[in-house]
Amino acid sequence: MRFEPAVAGLGLGLAIAVLTGIVANVVARSNDPIVVEITIHYSHYSPASVSVPLGRPVTFVITNTDPIDHEWIVGDAATHERHRTGTEPVHGARPTEVSIPALSQRRTTVTFPDPGSLQFICHLPGHEAYGMVGTVTITTGG
Ligand SMILES: [Cu+2]
């Protein structure tokens, strides 16, 4: 019975070591860039639904495997309504609006300031109607 405190101490030491490891891991992870890969194939996004954390930079790597140009525009309903009737042929100045030429890859980094759900859509003529629509869910959960 005399060695029980020693065993308990060893257990506590292990527990602290494990907890320290977990905390270090979480801290390290929170500094890593978040990368979300989206592939465009046959005028559809894959995956069509992604989940990202609130308030942290997310780098989207968008690969267009089609022999035609596409767009990736993320935003709220008002943003998309503007682009449906818009005349901008090429996007590149805003991180939330990306043109991806045929058989090419683009990256853009976006930090979402509000939780909720936004759509990403290709607004080239006919593409949205064909189904070139996706959803990004911004979550607060760790
Ligand atoms: Cu398209």
Side-chain angles (χ1 to χ4, degrees):
M1 292 297 170
R2 282 187 66 189
F3 65 94
E4 264 186 6
V7 171
L10 182 63
L12 184 63
L14 274 175
I16 288 170
V18 167
L19 280 174
T20 305
I22 289 168
V23 170
N25 196 25
V26 168
V27 170
R29 273 198 204 153
S30 70
N31 290 326
D32 288 345
I34 297 165
V35 176
V36 173
E37 296 191 28
I38 295 174
T39 300
I40 299 169
H41 192 57
Y42 293 153
S43 296
H44 285 85
Y45 298 112
S46 177
S49 179
V50 301
S51 188
V52 302
L54 172 74
R56 285 187 53 196
V58 179
T59 297
F60 293 88
V61 180
I62 307 160
T63 305
N64 181 4
T65 68
D66 289 342
I68 58 171
D69 299 350
H70 288 295
E71 297 176 342
W72 183 87
I73 295 171
V74 65
D76 58 13
T79 298
H80 289 302
E81 193 49 43
R82 205 163 55 240
H83 281 279
R84 281 184 192 105
T85 56
T87 53
E88 286 176 82
V90 176
H91 304 283
R94 300 182 197 95
T96 53
E97 303 178 359
V98 181
S99 294
I100 311 109
L103 303 170
S104 71
Q105 185 181 75
R106 291 289 180 271
R107 340 177 123 230
T108 187
T109 301
V110 181
T111 303
F112 297 96
D114 301 304
S117 184
L118 299 173
Q119 284 191 305
F120 50 89
I121 300 176
C122 177
H123 286 292
L124 292 180
H127 291 213
E128 181 183 12
Y130 187 70
M132 210 166 169
V133 177
T135 303
V136 54
T137 303
I138 303 119
T139 61
T140 55

